[in-house]
């Protein structure tokens, strides 16, 4: 099958793109300047059902640049079709919709999406979500956030699998995606004045999901689909997770899976010789990560076979994926499944839980499971968690880099010098934005916890604070550190006073001579 060249440009009006979103848009990575990220591949709108698309029944390309001039924002796309011609009119709507999806414009996150998210027993978390929205999103992002099919479903399968234990962040993930596409996609030529870039065509999602379609136009991807199917047949079983069925890798080697061991399995597979090299290239593409490679093969098989429909996952199913896979050596990744469902299918129920989200769930929301509870309890008591995660993500990133979008709140999310997150504690809470602190369930929980000063913490106090002179009589001292027991166990915070030295009054204050006091009194006095 010979595909058309990329030969035409087309203007897609995106007047509703908030100007404050422009810094979020990265059409290329600086280290991969020839690899367009805003990729699309759609089929003709009038294509008859149950028919295989030909080489010309598709429109594909990428967003080349954005021209922003006030309300006249336009995306310039490169495409294989001249969309100005009447005969190509049926491609215009699918292409323009795909472009809008890449920008997250079709169904952005808005204030009403994060209002009344939680029901009992987590209803107190709703107020702090709204206060975070007003502090972070309303001020910095134009009162809405991108959401939807940010990545094409087939492109995104690779891109989002690469997020598993990502050693070098977004850059490394895109390098893996580029390598994969260069080996398994079909290189597409450029014509006319279109620059020659690294554009590789992957099957459309409709083709991948059609088990009767042999993917003849995509020989390397077809071979990889064969590898995934044979890998499943020879080394996997099917496990039940809630009411879902997913592939489970049954490691026959009974030892830690390394790259060398994965090679042993590939060599042992009953597989056509030409596909064996494709299996090895898949491993290479994922930065020689054996676990990432297996995650991809399991997801590819489960998609192709119809076992997994990421766009249709319900909130309860998303919760059961976390609980059902916890502690199991299945080689599936709950986070990858959910981020794929969220960012390639626009599923609002799917929520990838990483370190930042988990920390946010502990402090300030206080919804993270405790005392034998399950992650599914969060999902069953909430809605729109995929949309909420987008707000948590931008907030955590802002907090991480001390951005002005969130430079006066949520210090509990930051790490201390010795442990993980600082958590809800007197020092971090004292310098938090009052509107957020007053709405915070975690602060409300510790408000009556007791603090001792310059003394070992006793049973009658949850926190111990050390000051610069180490006594309770020297005037105008600074706070040095706090340690103790907070909502989710031990905390240690020696960083908040350094991060916000002007956020504290001198110790001891005129209202407090050093006796044990509550956290609420500490915030009031200092």
């Amino acid at each position: 099958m010979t595909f058309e060249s990329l030969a035409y440009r087309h203007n897609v009006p995106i007047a509703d793109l908030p100007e404050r979103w422009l810094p979020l848009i990265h059409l290329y990575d600086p280290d991969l300047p020839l690899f367009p990220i805003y990729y699309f591949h759609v089929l003709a709108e009038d294509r008859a059902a149950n028919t295989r698309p030909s080489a010309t029944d598709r429109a594909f390309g990428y967003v080349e640049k954005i021209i922003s001039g006030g309300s006249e924002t336009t995306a310039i796309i490169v495409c294989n079709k001249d969309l100005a011609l009447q005969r190509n009119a049926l491609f215009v709507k699918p292409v323009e919709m795909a472009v809008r999806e890449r920008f997250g414009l079709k169904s952005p996150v808005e204030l009403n999406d994060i209002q009344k998210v939680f029901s009992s027993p987590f209803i107190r978390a709703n107020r702090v979500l709204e206060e975070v929205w007003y502090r972070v999103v309303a001020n910095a992002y134009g009162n809405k956030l991108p959401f939807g099919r940010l990545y094409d479903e087939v492109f995104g399968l690779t891109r989002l699998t690469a997020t598993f234990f990502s050693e070098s962040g977004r850059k490394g993930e895109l390098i893996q995606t580029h390598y994969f596409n260069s080996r398994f996609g079909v290189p597409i030529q450029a014509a006319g004045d279109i620059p020659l870039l690294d554009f590789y065509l992957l099957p459309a999602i409709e083709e991948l999901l059609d088990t009767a379609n042999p993917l003849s136009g995509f020989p390397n991807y077809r071979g990889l689909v064969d590898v995934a199917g044979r890998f499943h047949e020879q080394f996997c079983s099917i496990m039940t997770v809630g009411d879902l069925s997913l592939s489970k890798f049954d490691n026959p080697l009974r030892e830690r899976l390394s790259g060398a061991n994965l090679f042993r399995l590939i060599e042992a597979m009953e597989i056509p010789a030409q596909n064996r090299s494709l299996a090895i290239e898949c491993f290479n593409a994922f930065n020689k990560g054996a676990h990432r490679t297996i995650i991809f093969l399991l997801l590819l098989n489960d998609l192709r076979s119809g076992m997994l429909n990421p766009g249709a996952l319900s909130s309860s199913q998303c919760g059961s994926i976390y609980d059902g896979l916890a502690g199991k050596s299945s080689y599936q990744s709950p986070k990858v499944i959910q981020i794929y469902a969220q960012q390639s299918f626009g599923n609002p129920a799917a929520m990838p839980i990483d370190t930042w989200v988990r920390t946010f769930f502990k402090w300030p929301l206080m919804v993270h499971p405790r005392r034998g509870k399950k992650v599914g309890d969060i999902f069953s008591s909430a809605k729109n968690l995929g949309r909420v995660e987008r707000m948590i993500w931008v907030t955590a990133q802002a907090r991480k880099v001390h951005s002005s979008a969130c430079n006066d709140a949520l210090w509990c999310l930051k790490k201390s010098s010795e442990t993980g997150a600082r958590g809800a504690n007197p020092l971090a809470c004292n310098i938090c934005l009052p509107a957020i602190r007053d709405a915070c369930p975690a602060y409300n929980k510790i408000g009556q916890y007791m603090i001792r000063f310059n003394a070992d913490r006793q049973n009658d106090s949850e926190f111990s604070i050390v000051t610069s002179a180490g006594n309770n009589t020297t005037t105008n001292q600074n706070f040095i550190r706090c340690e103790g027991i907070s909502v989710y166990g031990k905390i240690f915070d020696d960083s908040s006073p350094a991060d916000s030295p002007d956020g504290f009054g001198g110790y001891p204050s005129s209202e407090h001579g050093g006796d044990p006091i509550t956290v609420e009194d500490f915030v009031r006095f200092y």
Side-chain angles (χ1 to χ4, degrees):
M1 189 181 292
T2 302
F3 297 106
E4 297 162 328
S5 299
L6 292 167
Y8 305 98
R9 287 186 173 90
H10 178 71
N11 292 357
V12 178
I14 46 174
D16 54 340
L17 181 73
E19 189 172 353
R20 294 183 182 181
W21 284 14
L22 292 176
L24 303 176
I25 296 171
H26 305 281
L27 302 181
Y28 312 87
D29 185 271
D31 287 343
L32 295 165
L34 301 182
F35 181 51
I37 300 169
Y38 283 50
Y39 162 105
F40 62 85
H41 182 186
V42 300
L43 302 179
E45 201 176 28
D46 67 339
R47 187 175 63 87
N50 302 318
T51 60
R52 293 179 190 171
S54 69
T56 57
D57 287 334
R58 60 191 80 229
F60 50 81
Y62 59 92
V63 179
E64 182 181 36
K65 57 184 175 181
I66 296 174
I67 299 176
S68 180
S71 61
E72 299 298 320
T73 304
T74 302
I76 311 299
I77 68 167
V78 169
C79 189
N80 65 311
K81 298 287 188 185
D82 184 350
L83 298 179
L85 297 179
Q86 183 59 37
R87 68 171 181 267
N88 293 326
L90 291 172
F91 289 105
V92 174
K93 183 178 178 180
V95 166
E96 293 190 347
M97 183 59 69
V99 171
R100 289 181 60 79
E101 287 273 24
R102 298 301 170 268
F103 290 110
L105 284 168
K106 182 184 177 184
S107 181
V109 182
E110 297 180 327
L111 175 59
N112 64 295
D113 292 315
I114 59 90
Q115 291 176 316
K116 299 181 180 178
V117 167
F118 290 102
S119 57
S120 181
F122 306 123
I123 200 165
R124 285 187 174 184
N126 290 329
R127 188 176 159 215
V128 75
L129 283 178
E130 190 165 344
E131 291 300 333
V132 170
W133 178 276
Y134 283 121
R135 174 64 186 96
V136 179
V137 180
N139 287 341
Y141 297 101
N143 226 11
K144 56 184 178 180
L145 292 170
F147 189 84
R149 293 166 53 229
L150 306 179
Y151 298 99
D152 169 89
E153 295 93 334
V154 182
F155 183 101
L157 180 58
T158 307
R159 167 70 183 87
L160 299 169
T161 297
T163 63
F164 181 80
F165 279 136
S166 177
E167 297 92 347
S168 51
R170 182 177 186 273
K171 184 177 298 295
E173 294 159 16
L174 288 173
I175 290 172
Q176 293 175 52
T177 306
H178 173 265
Y179 189 113
F180 180 97
N181 285 10
S182 70
R183 297 306 190 270
F184 297 101
V186 177
I188 302 297
Q189 299 301 310
D193 64 344
I194 303 300
L196 182 61
L197 298 185
D198 292 346
F199 186 92
Y200 305 97
L201 189 65
L202 302 168
I205 185 63
E206 295 89 342
E207 296 174 289
L208 180 59
L209 298 182
D210 180 5
T211 55
N213 190 317
L215 304 177
S216 301
F218 306 91
N220 286 354
Y221 209 96
R222 177 185 62 197
L224 193 56
V225 168
D226 179 72
V227 169
R230 292 174 186 265
F231 188 85
H232 173 81
E233 290 175 5
Q234 296 176 43
F235 302 125
C236 299
S237 58
I238 295 177
M239 60 181 173
T240 300
V241 179
D243 60 357
L244 295 171
S245 295
L246 296 172
S247 293
K248 175 182 180 294
F249 172 59
D250 301 313
N251 186 354
L253 300 177
R254 307 299 180 191
E255 57 185 272
R256 180 179 175 273
L257 191 70
S258 63
N261 285 338
L262 181 58
F263 268 91
R264 288 169 58 192
L265 294 181
I266 292 172
E267 289 297 322
M269 287 177 64
E270 298 175 5
I271 184 174
Q274 67 270 23
N275 288 352
R276 184 166 284 108
S277 63
L278 295 177
I280 294 171
E281 278 291 61
C282 183
F283 169 73
N284 292 337
F286 286 111
N287 197 26
K288 301 186 186 302
H291 201 152
R292 273 191 295 270
T293 305
I294 291 176
I295 288 172
F296 177 83
L297 294 175
L298 295 180
L299 283 177
L300 180 58
N301 175 79
D302 289 358
L303 278 172
R304 177 74 167 174
S305 67
M307 279 201 298
L308 178 65
N309 182 351
L313 290 174
S314 67
S315 183
S316 62
Q317 288 173 327
C318 289
S320 68
I321 286 173
Y322 281 107
D323 292 329
L325 297 180
K328 290 186 178 180
S329 300
S330 66
Y331 285 81
Q332 290 273 16
S333 165
K335 178 192 170 185
V336 170
I337 293 173
Q338 308 247 0
I339 196 172
Y340 181 49
Q342 181 204 50
Q343 297 190 18
S344 278
F345 291 83
N347 188 332
M351 182 185 63
I353 299 178
D354 61 6
T355 299
W356 286 105
V357 172
R358 188 176 296 107
T359 301
F360 205 101
F361 272 22
K362 289 181 176 180
W363 306 285
L365 297 184
M366 217 174 80
V367 300
H368 196 267
R370 293 186 299 163
R371 301 185 182 97
K373 298 294 186 180
K374 298 181 178 181
V375 175
D377 296 331
I378 303 175
F379 282 85
S380 63
S381 302
K383 63 179 181 179
N384 288 331
L385 285 178
R387 294 179 176 275
V388 171
E389 187 273 342
R390 290 291 79 196
M391 185 185 76
I392 292 176
W393 189 85
V394 298
T395 300
Q397 294 305 304
R399 175 67 283 161
K400 178 180 179 181
V401 300
H402 295 263
S403 165
S404 60
C406 189
N407 60 359
D408 58 357
L410 300 172
W411 297 94
C412 54
L413 302 181
K414 294 275 290 180
K415 288 184 177 181
S416 69
S417 67
E418 293 188 8
T419 62
R422 300 171 196 181
N425 77 81
L427 300 183
C429 292
N430 187 73
I431 57 176
C432 190
L433 182 72
I436 290 179
R437 181 181 63 221
D438 293 345
C440 176
Y443 175 70
N444 179 269
K445 178 71 175 180
I446 70 168
Q448 296 305 309
Y449 284 12
M450 297 300 296
I451 311 167
R452 294 174 67 90
F453 296 85
N454 297 306
D456 292 337
R457 183 176 61 84
Q458 302 295 324
N459 291 334
D460 60 350
S461 66
E462 285 78 15
F463 298 110
S464 173
I465 289 180
V466 175
T467 61
S468 53
N471 62 55
N472 298 332
T473 56
T474 304
T475 61
N476 206 30
Q477 295 183 59
N478 299 320
F479 296 107
I480 302 301
R481 68 179 180 272
C482 174
E483 54 187 312
I485 303 297
S486 188
V487 181
Y488 287 91
K490 293 182 179 180
I491 61 93
F492 181 88
D493 183 359
D494 60 348
S495 303
S496 292
D499 284 336
S500 184
D502 296 331
F504 300 89
Y507 175 84
S509 75
S510 59
E511 301 174 275
H512 172 235
D515 294 332
I517 56 174
T518 66
V519 173
E520 287 183 353
D521 284 339
F522 178 84
V523 170
R524 182 158 52 89
F525 295 153
Y526 296 101

